[in-house]
Amino acid sequence: MLKLTGVVCLLGAMVLSAQAQADEVAVLDWRAALMNTDSAQSSISRLEGEIGNQQREAESLGSELQGLQERLQSEGETMSEAQRESLIAELQEKGRRFEQLRQQIGQAQQRSEQQFLEGAEPKLEQAVEQVIDRHGIEVLVEPQGVLHSSRDLPNVTDEVTQIFNSLN
């Protein structure tokens, strides 16, 4: 009986040791964890509301520019000089507007991303710390940073997102 208890204790210790070892290293895709949060989705929706009209206009202009360029290439040689110059002027004008819209959209996206990250960083750090403490993680790596592992590393990305969403 004493031997059986000793074997059970030894097996239990081995299982606990293996579990502790498995939790020492974990994987976190912090970008995915952050982008899957409720606040990220809300931020994206706000941004889409702000720049939606500009994006639609840019898409429309992009199609028009492509059509005008194709027309210039296919019919340019048969057009009169005035028609060709008019078409080139229209291309340049729409091209300038397209570039202006593209820059405005890019600036709005950068502003929105910066504001979101500034507000989200403390909550992300808090969520990561909770997961590290909960699992006894000693090393946390990004999925892209793992070149080789002989065992499956726990991925805590979804858990970080859940905790982030629960923080006020």
Side-chain angles (χ1 to χ4, degrees), residues 72-91:
L72 183 62
Q73 287 175 350
S74 65
E75 301 172 20
E77 291 181 18
T78 59
M79 290 180 169
S80 70
E81 187 67 28
Q83 288 176 319
R84 191 172 36 257
E85 286 177 8
S86 174
L87 186 59
I88 290 171
E90 185 179 359
L91 263 168

Side-chain angles (χ1 to χ4, degrees), residues 43-109:
S43 179
I44 290 169
S45 292
R46 274 192 310 277
L47 176 63
E48 287 173 353
E50 289 175 22
I51 63 172
N53 290 337
Q54 291 171 317
Q55 284 184 313
R56 285 186 288 282
E57 183 182 351
E59 289 171 6
S60 176
L61 273 173
S63 295
E64 286 181 47
L65 284 168
Q66 186 175 1
L68 290 172
Q69 286 174 334
E70 289 171 0
R71 183 172 165 219
L72 183 62
Q73 287 175 350
S74 65
E75 301 172 20
E77 291 181 18
T78 59
M79 290 180 169
S80 70
E81 187 67 28
Q83 288 176 319
R84 191 172 36 257
E85 286 177 8
S86 174
L87 186 59
I88 290 171
E90 185 179 359
L91 263 168
Q92 289 173 340
E93 179 185 329
K94 289 185 181 203
R96 281 191 294 275
R97 177 65 182 148
F98 179 81
E99 185 59 30
Q100 180 186 35
L101 285 169
R102 193 183 67 75
Q103 287 178 352
Q104 289 172 349
I105 291 167
Q107 289 170 353
Q109 287 173 328

Side-chain angles (χ1 to χ4, degrees), residues 116-137:
F116 172 72
L117 289 175
E118 285 174 4
E121 187 176 5
K123 283 174 69 173
L124 179 64
E125 287 176 6
Q126 189 177 357
V128 170
E129 284 301 319
Q130 285 185 25
V131 170
I132 287 171
D133 291 344
R134 181 179 298 159
H135 296 283
I137 297 169

